[in-house]
Amino acid sequence: MSWLRELVEVPVGPAGAGAGGPTDIADLADALTMRGFEVGAVEPWPTADGDPPDAVLDLEITTNRPDCLSVFGIAREVGAIYAAELRPPEVEPTVASAADTPISITITDPALCPRYVGALADVTVGPSPRWLAARLEAADVRPINNIVDVTNYVMLELGHPMHAFDYATLAGPEIRVRRAVAGERIRTLDGIERTLQPDMLTIADAERPQAVAGVMGGADSEVGDTTRTVLLEAAYFNPISVRRTNKRLALSTDASFRFERGADVSAPIAAIARARHLLAVIGAGRPRGAVVDCFPGPPDPIVVRLRHQRIGHLLGQTVDPAFVAPTLTRLGFAPRLETEGESPTWQVTVPSFRVDVHREEDLIEEVARHHGYERLPTTFPALTRPAQAAGGWRARDQTVRRLLTGCGFSEAITYGFVEREAALAMHVEASDLVALSNPLSEKGAVLRPSLLPGLVDSLIHNRRRERQDIRLFELGSRFRQGAGETPSLAVALTGAAIAQHWTGPERTADLFDLTGALTRLAEGFGAQVAFEAGTMRALVPGRTARIQLTCGAHTTAVGWVGQLDPTLASRRGLPGSRDVYVAELDLRPLTLDAFGRLRAAPVPRHPSVVRDLSLEIDDALPAAQVRGTIWAAAGPTLVSVREVDRYQGSGVPAGSVSLSVRLTFRAADRTLTDAEVQTATDEVVSALEQAYRAKLR
Amino acid sequence: MTAPTAIDTIRVAFQADLGAVVTAQDLQSVRDRYLGRKQGAVAALMKSMAGAAPADRPALGKAANVLKREIDAALTQRGDTLDDTARPVGSVDVTLPGRALPFGRRHPLTLIREQVESIFETMGFEILQGPQVEDDYHNFEALNMPPDHPARDMQDTFYLEQPMPGGGEGATPPATLLRTHTSGMQIRYMESHEPPVRIISPGLVYRRDTPDLTHSPMFMQVEGLLVGEGITMADLKGTLVSFLQAFFDAGTRVMFRPSFFPYTEPSAEVFISCVFCEGTGCAVCKQTGWLEILGCGMVHPAVFEAVGYDPERYTGWAFGLGIDRVALLKYRVEDIRLFYDNDLRLLEQFPH
């Protein structure tokens, strides 16, 4: 706070409040927070008796405001908040003596370094005075020696990073700002030997790199106790270049943090002048020679047109024109009135430290911040056209959730990435896997090609926590190199289908609980589902089926259902030996279109007739096939076929099964006669005899 | 036998039968025996009166009706004094548990997402869903985040080892990353639709954050976008205040504060009065009384230029809300990772 008070005239306290200032430090912190500089903490800082209370404000600066990574930058905001005068820090008087230029500077790549300012100072290295070291400590910067401390002090105060070289260690008075030669090496101040690449910028003497530009200095030219003369550097480096270099070297410093966000190309002269002044003030050194400024192509300042009308247009509230220009001026902009009137326009020159301001909206944000978001009204935007319904995916997903929760399945959400091994164990070829180049760990190395690995892990998670009966499903994307990202549904089931109850024992779930749920799901969409025996990786042979979905006119193989391979399940950590059944299907063919075309059929007006048949039949014959034969033979009055019993054992020859089916007949236009039903039943029996040598029992 | 005698006989017999009643069933059988419509003694008596002399009939009928009322009253009275503790035949212990019917739950994040969706639906927003694997252009560049933009650090990204087919509609470049927000869908929508635009896009997004209590490398987000002529920041405030008060409660206080996002200008962070302490200060809100809930702002003109909208003519706003964060606050769950464990002991606490 005391540092801030040095740079801006803000009377804090009751007196200040009377003059439109903050009532206390917390009040000031709130004001900064409400302008976009979140004050995370206010720590009291010890002061001498009689001095006003002091504190350290811990501010969070968004990445677009590198100019506020400094006390002066914050002072400027405070000045705008309280209409208070800024007090720029004292600097060394400019001595323009072109004759006395002890060093020469060449920039070989002005795109990467548009400006480099250097100056010498003769110094006596030692510890910094207490007040200076204390301010660095308050900012979490470790004091090193008076020279380095001054460069850091200037960086914290003005926001511009500096560097000091031990001039004697340089190979002559020549500074070359150039790209590194491939394989060139430098030992940086942290003692690490680093290999440089040609896209990295260096500060070199006549012989070799002495610093990685904008990132860190070299250890060989480090300022130490024996240093007698320093070369002070203040430069502007290209943000992208600094960012790439520090990423490549994995080396982020206070300097690179500022350069990569954008330093102020106008600041170097002030920074050098401030540093030489401070060195003199603390008795650590005195300037030698002139400041050398290598600035081949100074950019033109940015000028942005600001229309008062546009401010209101964007904010929804008219802001007093008499507020706009003074606020911008206090923030360092130079607004020039272009057209006067109730709704004027300005040509606003943007200061070079405001690297975030390029267009009118950026200026409007400045006005809005200082006007106060809290003062904007709340209005509701009129609808200018009817709302559009969501795509079919939404009704589909909601219907799936409704049907499956109704069947007792709870919804899971699992991670989009899984272990490679778990992915390969389920359904997919290695070449179809989509790998991440920077996974957090091996547990999330590949995008899930199937929802099953994640869902099975969730089932196991529950199973390992005393839970016996588990029904889960997940709706989500799966990712395959060939098919891309597609919507999928997975279902998993273990434990009791019917829990133990005082009326009867538990019934353990089996495959038919899951195929039943899938049948219910299909019916919920007005679709039909059929299961065909098949084999699939991760599923137990003989207890695996391909799922055929008929939705509208299309029949598609949408996925698989079966018992999960117990060895795989136990490898994934499943305790115990109870069966786990799983299914996964492609959701794309599942649509509610059938209901869009729905026309209700008349409710039957005539009674139905039921006939039960008991057949002795080959036990390898799929029920679906028998059912198909029955449908084909019975004629149009058959309305349903249901398998009601299946029995093997005494009285039934080996290789055969006693199968009871219940046939229901009905006609829409008449009550069926016994004779009609008998004829249809006889047709069914004879067809089954012919096709499968089935015997009526 | 004369009719009055018959009436007396019935009366005597009834008194004897009534005296023998113990259970409700006994009572019912006595009622059937005497007052039954077809077989009952009173009904038989009435029938027998057809043979009586015409002159006697009115008196007889009157007497029979008196008997009927007598019997009925006596039966009703006896019924009132029957022993209530006697268990009717076929009774069951109704306090035994019923059979459990299957009952699954939707995931808490789905519940929150659907609540958010339905509030915005009432405000005329269309709900969109987009791909989770995205290309750099739709995730970053079109959103005013060119390569090497420091703001990309705010959204540390998972990259694919090899590009895979992009998930968007129409011609779309191969996907190279997992989306860090659902904004890519908004770009796709604007590329193929003219204003006005009023959409929300919910979905899973990915950021390369180390998991902890409040961070998950995958989480659910919903973003909103409104574009038209004359859309203002005041509209943004009004819509979001309405939404937050509908979602949390009508007394929720909302604060807008300047912030920075590359794709909005001006940008704001939105805070609500702490749902735990109601603004008085607690550990969750770090004694501030406020909880950060979403980010928003006026769409940056560079974003409009990227999709071919005229930024002079159209203005708009966008917001992004973390579903997980809202779920943590609303349900007071302490660890975001619990949402992805799918522990039924958690899931089964939520409504169907």
Side-chain angles (χ1 to χ4, degrees), chain A residues 244 307 365 379 437-438 462, chain B residues 148 159 208 235 265 312:
Chain A
R244 285 189 180 156
R307 293 162 294 174
E365 181 174 69
T379 53
S437 66
N438 58 340
N462 281 289
Chain B
D148 295 307
Y159 290 95
R208 205 174 171 283
D235 292 333
E265 190 80 33
E312 268 300 299

Side-chain angles (χ1 to χ4, degrees), chain A residues 438-453:
Chain A
N438 58 340
L440 275 176
S441 77
E442 286 309 307
K443 288 201 178 297
V446 298
L447 297 191
R448 58 181 182 188
S450 153
L451 307 192
L452 285 179

Side-chain angles (χ1 to χ4, degrees), chain A residues 417-580:
Chain A
F417 28 67
V418 294
E419 247 172 286
R420 176 180 290 272
E421 183 210 0
L424 287 174
M426 308 250 182
H427 295 205
V428 101
E429 298 304 322
S431 63
D432 216 13
L433 282 182
V434 180
L436 289 175
S437 66
N438 58 340
L440 275 176
S441 77
E442 286 309 307
K443 288 201 178 297
V446 298
L447 297 191
R448 58 181 182 188
S450 153
L451 307 192
L452 285 179
L455 196 63
V456 166
D457 282 353
S458 286
L459 180 140
I460 291 168
H461 169 97
N462 281 289
R463 192 64 191 73
R464 293 171 72 93
R465 284 161 185 80
E466 304 177 345
R467 187 68 182 227
Q468 301 287 329
D469 311 327
I470 301 159
R471 294 174 183 223
L472 289 172
F473 75 96
E474 182 173 11
L475 270 168
S477 284
R478 63 184 181 194
F479 308 88
R480 296 179 182 181
Q481 199 54 255
E485 176 180 352
T486 56
S488 173
L489 167 69
V491 190
L493 166 68
T494 189
I498 294 172
Q500 186 180 15
H501 187 249
W502 57 273
T503 55
E506 169 184 301
R507 182 176 70 70
T508 303
D510 58 26
L511 182 67
F512 301 103
D513 289 294
L514 194 46
T515 56
L518 294 172
T519 305
R520 163 75 59 85
L521 177 73
E523 285 168 357
F525 280 83
Q528 292 84 45
V529 72
F531 303 96
E532 268 176 21
T535 55
M536 185 69 201
R537 194 186 308 175
L539 302 182
V540 174
R543 291 175 168 219
T544 301
R546 184 190 288 277
I547 307 166
Q548 299 278 0
L549 181 80
T550 304
C551 203
H554 305 283
T555 297
T556 326
V558 289
W560 294 88
V561 56
Q563 184 188 345
L564 185 68
D565 177 2
T567 47
L568 172 64
S570 81
R571 204 162 66 233
R572 298 296 307 167
L574 181 75
S577 60
R578 298 187 89 174
D579 296 353
V580 174

